[in-house]
Amino acid sequence: MPFINFATKEINCKIVYYGPGLSGKTTNIKWIYDHIKPENKGEMITLATETERTLFFDFVPIEVSNVKGFKVRFHLYTTPGQIIYQASRKLILKGVDGVVFVADSQEERHDANLDTLDDMLENLKEYDIDIEDLPLVFQYNKRDLPNVLPVEVLRRDLNRWNRPDFEAVATKGIGVLETFKEISRQVLQKLKK
Amino acid sequence: MLSLRPEEDEKLRELLTELNRESKSKIVLLIDKAGQLISRSESPAFSSDDITFASLTAGNVAASEALSKLLGDKNLNHMFTETEDEGIYMILIDDKYILVSIFDKNASNLGIVRVKIKKYYGKLVELLRQIEERIESESSVTEQIDVEDIDLDTLFE
């Protein structure tokens, strides 16, 4: 749910990066954080284990102030991907305005992609969020690895709603910005409706 | 969709600033449960990033709430976190918002903060309900927002 303050002329939106464990959600928002101008970003928060696995969530606030009159603030969150953190994932989806589903393109991780998508649908249902109505982008990450599934297979199995999708190598920043721009565009578009 | 009109923003800010002053807190914040900062007291001395603080507070409350549900308990009402020098007191309002007071333990204490929050709680709930009623009665606020010419390229180096 976006929050609009007409006094300070601010719009706040929440974007969640969802996907199976080790698919590159944190890598996505870390890349964005590292490449954004200092004046446009706040502090990045990472709640991770000692081995850098996300434990609860990562958070990056981004401010866009060159919009006519209004300042838009995107709050980017990642979810913990591992199966055991189901309860935490649900908490992070609360009040979500847009979702980026980061899939792992490797063949052996495809079952994890499908399980996580089911888990996401279940959680959205519990918040009464209709996926047809929700800004959503798919990202097929790790395209540089040797054992990846063809994009057509990933698209057929995951992107059942024919939403915009992107191939990515998040560690090199390939596809990261395109994904972020598309989800931001959709979130703002929905705001205008 | 939650929105604040300038006069509502001012009223909220005044109320939180008054509460902040009386409770001798460092800052008082009003956050929604999704982690958005709605309003804060005028506290120029508070230098931490309030946006990040709001997000972490909501995460903290959400986790504690889930814990209490797991224990078969009813909803969480309030919680208190203590550091060496500071106290952070969080109380839920209408199960939608979180009111947070951060105070220096040398300047105030949990008892004072709770008594002062109790004093202002009713006013705050009333104000928030008025805002919600106004939002419900409006057909659309978004036509007053021009977000057409957003250029995300300028964000990056």
Side-chain angles (χ1 to χ4, degrees):
Chain A
M1 188 177 68
F3 166 52
I4 305 167
N5 189 328
F6 285 96
T8 52
K9 294 207 151 198
E10 283 177 359
I11 303 168
N12 294 276
C13 312
K14 180 172 183 176
I15 295 171
V16 174
Y17 282 67
Y18 212 99
L22 292 173
S23 66
K25 302 173 290 296
T26 302
T27 311
N28 260 273
I29 73 162
K30 181 84 175 44
W31 192 92
I32 293 171
Y33 184 77
D34 288 343
H35 289 82
I36 216 155
K37 290 179 190 160
E39 62 265 34
N40 293 111
K41 65 184 174 191
E43 203 177 325
M44 176 167 177
I45 292 287
T46 300
L47 304 178
T49 65
E50 281 172 14
T51 51
E52 292 191 2
R53 302 296 302 272
T54 304
L55 182 62
F56 194 2
F57 60 83
D58 306 302
F59 171 72
V60 169
I62 294 175
E63 232 172 66
V64 194
S65 45
N66 62 334
V67 181
K68 243 188 236 170
F70 272 88
K71 184 195 283 178
V72 183
R73 196 180 280 126
F74 294 106
H75 294 183
L76 308 189
Y77 285 83
T78 65
T79 56
Q82 288 155 286
I83 306 281
I84 52 166
Y85 298 130
Q86 200 274 341
S88 309
R89 273 195 293 280
K90 189 184 154 198
L91 300 178
I92 293 152
L93 274 183
K94 188 174 179 68
V96 68
D97 298 310
V99 170
V100 173
F101 190 91
V102 182
D104 191 326
S105 298
Q106 298 177 92
E107 200 173 350
E108 64 270 28
R109 295 295 292 157
H110 197 44
D111 280 345
N113 288 332
L114 293 165
D115 287 346
T116 308
L117 186 61
D118 284 346
D119 167 83
M120 181 176 93
L121 295 175
E122 189 66 34
N123 284 333
L124 288 173
K125 214 162 119 189
E126 285 192 39
Y127 282 124
D128 277 331
I129 299 171
D130 183 0
I131 193 152
E132 301 286 346
D133 234 17
L134 180 74
L136 175 67
V137 175
F138 285 85
Q139 184 189 81
Y140 313 122
N141 195 18
K142 307 196 183 184
R143 298 307 295 170
D144 58 335
L145 295 183
N147 50 339
V148 295
L149 285 169
V151 170
E152 298 75 49
V153 174
L154 291 161
R155 186 174 286 145
R156 183 197 64 208
D157 290 351
L158 301 170
N159 192 358
R160 303 165 202 163
W161 304 269
N162 288 318
R163 298 304 183 86
D165 50 11
F166 300 90
E167 294 184 49
V169 183
T171 48
K172 295 181 182 144
I174 300 167
V176 172
L177 200 50
E178 290 82 349
T179 308
F180 171 62
K181 278 187 190 171
E182 174 56 29
I183 193 67
S184 315
R185 193 191 61 77
Q186 284 187 35
V187 167
L188 292 175
Q189 206 67 35
K190 193 180 170 203
L191 196 74
K192 285 167 70 95
K193 273 185 193 160
Chain B
M1 189 185 316
L2 185 62
S3 66
L4 278 189
R5 296 282 164 198
E7 60 280 12
E8 294 162 345
D9 181 70
E10 198 184 322
K11 275 187 197 163
L12 268 181
R13 200 171 279 263
E14 272 172 16
L15 203 149
L16 297 182
T17 303
E18 195 65 10
L19 171 58
N20 185 59
R21 193 183 57 78
E22 281 195 27
S23 62
K24 298 186 171 65
S25 301
K26 281 179 150 178
I27 188 165
V28 174
L29 304 158
L30 182 69
I31 294 162
D32 81 353
K33 277 174 89 179
Q36 317 258 36
L37 176 68
I38 296 170
S39 187
R40 52 171 278 181
S41 58
E42 302 279 359
S43 309
F46 184 80
S47 55
S48 294
D49 186 341
D50 49 7
I51 301 291
T52 304
F53 193 89
S55 143
L56 281 172
T57 305
N60 192 5
V61 168
S64 301
E65 228 176 358
L67 268 178
S68 69
K69 276 190 186 132
L70 209 57
L71 294 171
D73 217 329
K74 284 183 194 155
N75 288 341
L76 181 87
N77 294 324
H78 55 129
M79 52 190 288
F80 180 52
T81 301
E82 204 171 355
T83 67
E84 204 171 307
D85 302 319
E86 279 154 342
I88 307 170
Y89 180 65
M90 295 156 255
I91 180 163
L92 276 132
I93 301 177
D94 268 357
D95 205 33
K96 287 181 214 148
Y97 312 101
I98 307 162
L99 182 68
V100 190
S101 153
I102 303 172
F103 59 90
D104 186 331
K105 289 198 286 188
N106 294 314
S108 188
N109 63 56
L110 184 58
I112 294 176
V113 169
R114 288 188 66 173
V115 166
K116 293 302 172 186
I117 286 182
K118 206 169 177 185
K119 179 180 168 188
Y120 285 94
Y121 190 86
K123 278 186 195 167
L124 189 57
V125 170
E126 198 189 315
L127 188 51
L128 287 167
R129 288 199 183 140
Q130 280 170 7
I131 292 168
E132 284 171 7
E133 275 167 26
R134 190 261 309 149
I135 292 169
E136 261 179 49
S137 67
E138 276 176 349
S139 52
S140 170
V141 291
T142 50
E143 56 210 35
Q144 299 154 42
I145 303 166
D146 195 346
V147 285
E148 199 75 77
D149 61 343
I150 185 160
D151 180 11
L152 292 171
D153 282 323
T154 59
L155 281 178
F156 294 90
E157 292 177 313

